[in-house]
Amino acid sequence: MLKKILFLALLPTAFVTLSVVEGFSQWNLSSAINTPVAVAVHNQQSEKIVTDSKGGAIIAWEDSRLDTNHADIYVQRLDKNGYPKWTLNGINICSNDSDQGTIAMAADGFGGAIIAWNDHRAADRDVYAQRIDSSGNILWTANGVAVSGAAKPRDQRDSKLIADGSGGAIIVWQDSSLTNDWDIVAQRVSGSGTLTWAASGVAICNDLGAQKRPRIRTDGAGGAIIVWQDKRNGLDYDIYAKRINSSGTTVSGWGGIGGYGIIVCSEATGATQKNPIMESDGAGGAIIAWEDKRNPCNGCDSTDIYAQRVNASGTMQWTTNGIPVCTSVGLQSYLDMAVDGTNGAFIVWKDFRSDLKGDIYAQRVNASGVMQWASNGILIKGGPNGQGAPAIVPDGWGNALIAYRDSGTSDDIYGVKVNSSGIILWNSPVGTAAGTQNNPRIVMDGNGGCIYAFEDARNLIDNDIYAHHLYASGSADGVAEENYYVESKCFPNPFSSSAVIEIMSPFIKGVQGDVAFFIYDLVGKKVEIPFAVSLNKINIARGNLQSGIYFYEIRNGNNAVSKGKLILTD
């Protein structure tokens, strides 16, 4: 997809200098000190992180401070400068006496977040959810909304979710109440916390055998694409997918036989395909990758990585049963994926081809299914100590940001930036305190850098949650990377057909030059809209964009000088 570049005609007036320097920051510059998120007694662990839509992050985690046998759910927001915005050590969003865990989270598009979790308050496991706004106000029923239905028999678990663009979410989980095995069920919760589909949810797939490990991404049209591993053949797992609209109805072409979803990969009877991951392809479809055991290894534990792209109509775009991403000897596992900004994807994984402790490898695949880097991927980090727990996000400029755990004298966290050509631009320490650091989670900061959250046992007693920030250069010191902002406003907003973005003050630092203008969707994908420039105004039209929430950014060189949110309505 082409980048829209806007060349602004700057006003012939004196320029106002706005120098907002990020030197006065709560972010600690030392990777051995970091920024504490939650350092309460007992364990804080299994954190998730999303953007706060303002350059900061919202972090949720499982917390045992009140009961070492039954965890609760806590959440904290750090602003772009690393300052905690809510209660010290986080806000308790579920303190029911039973156990809560296995968190999933999505930014709500309005500066807050929606969190889902497994909950044991009934005789079995259910899925609950809660929404919190940017000020830390809990918006739904105290201790959460019973998304899966608290009266359902047997277990519901492993929930995943996406924002619906209206303050709510579409949530999917594996459910054992429909048949004698696991099935896939989904529900939509409104921005006010009301279940909008059938009380028991919509059955995505309840075919024979087990359906497990659902993953979900937006289809860009108010609905969702859901992928899972499926054992309906009775012998091994295959990969299936389904697309639903905003009402929970299966989109034409995605039902498959019996309405149970379309086959993404069913290669080789007896050879399992499992643990799918997925990202939206920016055109209503998705890119899906998974672990694949189709290639025998004479009894050795060998799993490869394959991928497939499916378009908005449910048609496979690449070779039947997927293209090989990595078929090197040994085990490839622990996959993660990020969009590359051009309808392709970055994929990262843990790889045992040359080290029994594991190394970190990555690959980029373009929209046509052609690998862009070296065959079987490029080495991100190797070494005798072993590396693991990879995570990846885009930086918003065609590069990938990767986090991983490095097991040296203790487990530490590092961050890497690799460009679109597969060149590693930097590898910087993130968490190197005494004790172990594990489970890195990352989110882009909107300026080419990254915010990291991780479990930390530096106190040698239990786990806490810490965070760290690296700028686009890979440095924790932002003094040399000043961010200059000018105010801009979009009106009307929300809008249905057209609007005007007005730059409220002349541009920055006396610079008279070219400025870039970009539009992003909720997952950070650049999209295109028609626009025209008139002095300090940008006239925009919705073009082909669906209703929902988008973000605009105006940049001068490497600096984001103004940002804002657009809300498109029908």
Side-chain angles (χ1 to χ4, degrees), residues 5-13 15 503 505-507 511-517 531-538 554 556:
I5 302 296
L6 166 67
F7 298 101
L8 289 179
L10 299 177
L11 295 175
T13 57
F15 290 90
I503 300 165
S505 57
F507 255 46
V511 175
Q512 300 188 37
D514 299 329
V515 173
F517 175 66
F531 65 84
V533 180
S534 175
L535 294 178
N536 64 326
K537 295 180 179 180
I538 307 168
I554 303 170
N556 184 285

Side-chain angles (χ1 to χ4, degrees), residues 152-447:
K152 270 190 172 183
R154 296 189 288 273
D155 284 345
Q156 294 80 47
R157 67 181 191 185
D158 195 19
S159 57
K160 297 293 181 288
L161 73 159
I162 57 167
D164 68 358
S166 301
I170 299 175
I171 304 175
V172 64
W173 64 90
Q174 61 185 59
D175 193 307
S176 63
S177 67
L178 304 181
T179 65
N180 292 323
D181 215 330
W182 291 111
D183 301 306
I184 306 300
V185 178
Q187 178 63 269
R188 184 175 178 184
V189 188
S190 73
S192 60
T194 302
L195 306 184
T196 65
W197 297 345
S200 59
V202 171
I204 302 301
C205 182
N206 57 353
D207 201 1
L208 298 174
Q211 289 82 44
K212 300 172 67 175
R213 294 189 60 83
R215 298 295 181 263
I216 185 170
R217 288 291 183 266
T218 179
D219 67 354
I225 298 173
I226 299 165
V227 65
W228 64 92
Q229 64 183 55
D230 193 303
K231 204 174 183 181
R232 68 184 68 178
N233 66 23
L235 295 173
D236 54 56
Y237 284 104
D238 298 318
I239 306 298
Y240 279 74
K242 180 184 278 192
R243 180 183 172 193
I244 55 175
N245 63 20
S246 59
S247 300
T249 302
T250 302
V251 174
S252 177
W254 288 78
I257 298 174
Y260 298 134
I262 58 175
I263 298 172
V264 177
C265 180
S266 60
E267 174 71 18
T269 300
T272 279
Q273 290 83 43
K274 63 179 182 177
N275 298 333
I277 57 172
M278 175 173 59
E279 288 294 341
S280 303
D281 71 354
I287 296 175
I288 303 164
W290 61 89
E291 299 173 22
D292 196 301
K293 295 183 73 69
R294 73 181 68 177
N295 299 314
C297 190
N298 295 322
C300 69
D301 188 10
S302 178
T303 299
D304 299 322
I305 300 171
Y306 280 74
Q308 179 62 270
R309 182 182 178 190
V310 55
N311 70 11
S313 301
T315 303
M316 302 301 149
Q317 300 298 288
W318 300 340
T319 304
T320 300
N321 289 321
I323 56 173
V325 175
C326 180
T327 58
S328 182
V329 296
L331 184 71
Q332 287 82 42
S333 60
Y334 301 102
L335 282 64
D336 199 13
M337 182 189 293
V339 297
D340 71 351
T342 58
N343 301 97
F346 300 106
I347 303 171
V348 66
W349 65 91
K350 184 173 182 177
D351 194 300
F352 295 85
R353 73 183 72 174
S354 58
D355 187 341
L356 294 178
K357 294 183 178 179
D359 300 319
I360 304 300
Y361 276 75
Q363 180 61 273
R364 180 186 171 207
V365 57
N366 71 11
S368 300
V370 178
M371 301 302 148
Q372 300 298 288
W373 298 344
S375 176
N376 290 320
I378 60 171
L379 178 65
I380 298 298
K381 182 62 171 70
N385 299 318
Q387 291 77 39
I392 188 169
V393 294
D395 75 342
W397 301 101
N399 308 308
L401 296 162
I402 298 170
Y404 66 91
R405 181 193 69 242
D406 189 288
S407 300
T409 54
S410 64
D411 289 343
D412 297 319
I413 305 299
Y414 284 80
V416 172
K417 178 181 277 191
V418 56
N419 72 11
S420 60
S421 299
I423 298 171
I424 295 176
L425 302 179
W426 46 258
N427 186 338
S428 299
V430 170
T432 59
T436 63
Q437 289 75 46
N438 198 9
N439 192 41
R441 296 288 184 261
I442 53 179
V443 68
M444 57 183 182
D445 66 3
N447 253 338

Side-chain angles (χ1 to χ4, degrees), residues 72-93:
D72 297 322
I73 308 297
Y74 280 73
V75 63
Q76 178 63 275
R77 178 184 166 207
L78 300 179
D79 69 13
K80 66 179 182 179
N81 296 314
Y83 288 98
K85 303 298 290 183
W86 301 339
T87 304
L88 181 67
N89 286 322
I91 295 173
N92 187 332
I93 67 167

Side-chain angles (χ1 to χ4, degrees), residues 23-66:
F24 301 99
S25 173
Q26 179 73 9
W27 295 120
N28 195 288
L29 303 185
S30 171
S31 65
I33 300 176
N34 307 117
T35 299
V37 177
V39 291
V41 296
H42 307 308
N43 276 325
Q44 290 82 48
Q45 61 189 13
S46 302
E47 82 289 348
K48 299 290 190 251
I49 185 170
V50 297
T51 180
D52 70 350
S53 303
K54 297 179 181 179
I58 298 174
I59 303 166
W61 63 91
E62 301 172 18
D63 197 303
S64 299
R65 72 182 73 175
L66 300 180

